[in-house]
Amino acid sequence: MTLHILALVGSLRSGSHNRQLAETAVRLAPEGVEIEVYEGLAEVPFYNEDIDVEGIAPAAATRLREATRRADAVLLFSPEYNGTIPAVLKNAIDWLSRPFGSGDLKGKPVAVIGTAFGQYGGVWAQDEARKAAGIAGGVVLDDVTLSVPGSVTRFAETHPADDPEVTTKLSEVLAGLSARVAAHTAA
């Protein structure tokens, strides 16, 4: 059986280091694990309960929910914007949290990793993403983490896939996440 992990990237920038990190995760996925980097977060409107009506919810939000429903786990890649979680990632969590108590994150393993320019690699934003995902019903894996500092300089001329320290740590994260997801789905 193949484990399917949905990756949501909290940066919309085409050259995003978090996007590059997610693409590297796809390449490093352990045997029996498929990681899908979700396309389309930019099209998901800001959450508004008035438009979240069964049968007429925005198509982009419905696609996000369906992709999450099909996944065995969710892996969030979060940069840090002004000391906190990017709006696009928070918005995705908001859509996935509804209807409250039975949204598509409910009971689903969630891990949060990322890279940011600061010296701590975006830990504040990643902590906020863990908090929001947990409140939304996800089973947050607090011990599956990776925060890569100094992204702007570290990845100025090196892709994350070509950084041995990053690929080693990312491989460890993916192995840990995969083991936890396998245990979760077997339970």
Side-chain angles (χ1 to χ4, degrees), residues 158-175:
T158 302
H159 190 283
D162 299 322
D163 184 316
E165 180 185 8
V166 170
T167 57
T168 297
K169 289 180 178 180
L170 184 55
S171 293
E172 291 169 1
V173 161
L174 297 174

mmCIF file of all heavy atoms in Angstrom, residues 158-175:
data_model
loop_
_atom_site.group_PDB
_atom_site.id
_atom_site.type_symbol
_atom_site.label_atom_id
_atom_site.label_comp_id
_atom_site.label_asym_id
_atom_site.label_seq_id
_atom_site.Cartn_x
_atom_site.Cartn_y
_atom_site.Cartn_z
ATOM 1 N N THR A 158 22.367 27.689 -4.085
ATOM 2 C CA THR A 158 22.243 26.242 -3.877
ATOM 3 C C THR A 158 20.776 25.882 -3.690
ATOM 4 O O THR A 158 20.099 26.484 -2.850
ATOM 5 C CB THR A 158 23.034 25.811 -2.620
ATOM 6 O OG1 THR A 158 24.397 26.198 -2.778
ATOM 7 C CG2 THR A 158 22.953 24.312 -2.403
ATOM 8 N N HIS A 159 20.313 24.945 -4.454
ATOM 9 C CA HIS A 159 18.944 24.439 -4.291
ATOM 10 C C HIS A 159 18.933 23.556 -3.037
ATOM 11 O O HIS A 159 19.928 22.874 -2.746
ATOM 12 C CB HIS A 159 18.563 23.614 -5.526
ATOM 13 C CG HIS A 159 17.125 23.257 -5.590
ATOM 14 N ND1 HIS A 159 16.574 22.251 -4.831
ATOM 15 C CD2 HIS A 159 16.117 23.772 -6.348
ATOM 16 C CE1 HIS A 159 15.293 22.146 -5.112
ATOM 17 N NE2 HIS A 159 14.980 23.063 -6.023
ATOM 18 N N PRO A 160 17.841 23.539 -2.281
ATOM 19 C CA PRO A 160 17.790 22.668 -1.096
ATOM 20 C C PRO A 160 18.142 21.209 -1.396
ATOM 21 O O PRO A 160 18.728 20.521 -0.560
ATOM 22 C CB PRO A 160 16.334 22.797 -0.624
ATOM 23 C CG PRO A 160 15.927 24.157 -1.069
ATOM 24 C CD PRO A 160 16.626 24.360 -2.385
ATOM 25 N N ALA A 161 17.840 20.750 -2.605
ATOM 26 C CA ALA A 161 18.152 19.361 -2.982
ATOM 27 C C ALA A 161 19.649 19.121 -3.076
ATOM 28 O O ALA A 161 20.098 17.969 -3.026
ATOM 29 C CB ALA A 161 17.490 19.015 -4.316
ATOM 30 N N ASP A 162 20.432 20.204 -3.200
ATOM 31 C CA ASP A 162 21.883 20.080 -3.316
ATOM 32 C C ASP A 162 22.609 20.412 -2.013
ATOM 33 O O ASP A 162 23.833 20.525 -1.999
ATOM 34 C CB ASP A 162 22.389 20.993 -4.443
ATOM 35 C CG ASP A 162 21.793 20.618 -5.782
ATOM 36 O OD1 ASP A 162 21.633 19.398 -6.047
ATOM 37 O OD2 ASP A 162 21.465 21.540 -6.562
ATOM 38 N N ASP A 163 21.869 20.566 -0.936
ATOM 39 C CA ASP A 163 22.434 20.866 0.382
ATOM 40 C C ASP A 163 22.389 19.576 1.202
ATOM 41 O O ASP A 163 21.323 19.145 1.631
ATOM 42 C CB ASP A 163 21.601 21.963 1.041
ATOM 43 C CG ASP A 163 22.147 22.421 2.380
ATOM 44 O OD1 ASP A 163 22.539 21.556 3.200
ATOM 45 O OD2 ASP A 163 22.150 23.639 2.631
ATOM 46 N N PRO A 164 23.547 18.940 1.412
ATOM 47 C CA PRO A 164 23.564 17.633 2.085
ATOM 48 C C PRO A 164 22.937 17.649 3.485
ATOM 49 O O PRO A 164 22.256 16.696 3.862
ATOM 50 C CB PRO A 164 25.046 17.265 2.162
ATOM 51 C CG PRO A 164 25.730 18.127 1.162
ATOM 52 C CD PRO A 164 24.884 19.356 0.998
ATOM 53 N N GLU A 165 23.148 18.714 4.241
ATOM 54 C CA GLU A 165 22.559 18.790 5.580
ATOM 55 C C GLU A 165 21.032 18.825 5.498
ATOM 56 O O GLU A 165 20.332 18.124 6.236
ATOM 57 C CB GLU A 165 23.074 20.019 6.333
ATOM 58 C CG GLU A 165 22.495 20.137 7.732
ATOM 59 C CD GLU A 165 22.905 21.423 8.452
ATOM 60 O OE1 GLU A 165 23.519 22.319 7.828
ATOM 61 O OE2 GLU A 165 22.591 21.515 9.647
ATOM 62 N N VAL A 166 20.516 19.613 4.573
ATOM 63 C CA VAL A 166 19.069 19.728 4.402
ATOM 64 C C VAL A 166 18.480 18.410 3.929
ATOM 65 O O VAL A 166 17.458 17.953 4.460
ATOM 66 C CB VAL A 166 18.717 20.880 3.430
ATOM 67 C CG1 VAL A 166 17.244 20.849 3.043
ATOM 68 C CG2 VAL A 166 19.074 22.228 4.062
ATOM 69 N N THR A 167 19.105 17.774 2.947
ATOM 70 C CA THR A 167 18.532 16.519 2.442
ATOM 71 C C THR A 167 18.583 15.416 3.492
ATOM 72 O O THR A 167 17.652 14.611 3.579
ATOM 73 C CB THR A 167 19.224 16.057 1.142
ATOM 74 O OG1 THR A 167 20.628 15.912 1.369
ATOM 75 C CG2 THR A 167 18.964 17.038 0.004
ATOM 76 N N THR A 168 19.626 15.400 4.305
ATOM 77 C CA THR A 168 19.694 14.403 5.385
ATOM 78 C C THR A 168 18.577 14.631 6.391
ATOM 79 O O THR A 168 17.851 13.700 6.751
ATOM 80 C CB THR A 168 21.071 14.465 6.091
ATOM 81 O OG1 THR A 168 22.076 14.128 5.135
ATOM 82 C CG2 THR A 168 21.134 13.510 7.262
ATOM 83 N N LYS A 169 18.420 15.881 6.834
ATOM 84 C CA LYS A 169 17.377 16.186 7.822
ATOM 85 C C LYS A 169 15.984 15.998 7.235
ATOM 86 O O LYS A 169 15.085 15.500 7.908
ATOM 87 C CB LYS A 169 17.556 17.603 8.364
ATOM 88 C CG LYS A 169 18.768 17.741 9.261
ATOM 89 C CD LYS A 169 18.923 19.152 9.781
ATOM 90 C CE LYS A 169 20.124 19.250 10.713
ATOM 91 N NZ LYS A 169 20.292 20.612 11.227
ATOM 92 N N LEU A 170 15.792 16.377 5.979
ATOM 93 C CA LEU A 170 14.493 16.213 5.331
ATOM 94 C C LEU A 170 14.162 14.722 5.178
ATOM 95 O O LEU A 170 13.027 14.309 5.406
ATOM 96 C CB LEU A 170 14.476 16.924 3.979
ATOM 97 C CG LEU A 170 13.159 16.918 3.218
ATOM 98 C CD1 LEU A 170 12.007 17.469 4.057
ATOM 99 C CD2 LEU A 170 13.309 17.719 1.922
ATOM 100 N N SER A 171 15.147 13.920 4.847
ATOM 101 C CA SER A 171 14.940 12.466 4.754
ATOM 102 C C SER A 171 14.526 11.893 6.103
ATOM 103 O O SER A 171 13.652 11.011 6.170
ATOM 104 C CB SER A 171 16.204 11.772 4.252
ATOM 105 O OG SER A 171 16.474 12.127 2.918
ATOM 106 N N GLU A 172 15.121 12.384 7.177
ATOM 107 C CA GLU A 172 14.750 11.933 8.526
ATOM 108 C C GLU A 172 13.306 12.326 8.847
ATOM 109 O O GLU A 172 12.551 11.539 9.420
ATOM 110 C CB GLU A 172 15.708 12.521 9.565
ATOM 111 C CG GLU A 172 17.113 11.955 9.478
ATOM 112 C CD GLU A 172 18.127 12.727 10.318
ATOM 113 O OE1 GLU A 172 17.751 13.707 11.003
ATOM 114 O OE2 GLU A 172 19.321 12.349 10.276
ATOM 115 N N VAL A 173 12.921 13.538 8.479
ATOM 116 C CA VAL A 173 11.543 13.998 8.690
ATOM 117 C C VAL A 173 10.574 13.099 7.931
ATOM 118 O O VAL A 173 9.559 12.650 8.472
ATOM 119 C CB VAL A 173 11.375 15.478 8.244
ATOM 120 C CG1 VAL A 173 9.919 15.834 8.023
ATOM 121 C CG2 VAL A 173 12.006 16.406 9.267
ATOM 122 N N LEU A 174 10.880 12.826 6.677
ATOM 123 C CA LEU A 174 9.991 12.015 5.850
ATOM 124 C C LEU A 174 9.886 10.583 6.369
ATOM 125 O O LEU A 174 8.798 9.998 6.362
ATOM 126 C CB LEU A 174 10.451 12.034 4.398
ATOM 127 C CG LEU A 174 10.411 13.413 3.728
ATOM 128 C CD1 LEU A 174 11.025 13.351 2.339
ATOM 129 C CD2 LEU A 174 9.002 13.965 3.692
ATOM 130 N N ALA A 175 10.999 10.039 6.848
ATOM 131 C CA ALA A 175 10.965 8.694 7.429
ATOM 132 C C ALA A 175 10.114 8.684 8.699
ATOM 133 O O ALA A 175 9.294 7.785 8.907
ATOM 134 C CB ALA A 175 12.386 8.203 7.719
#
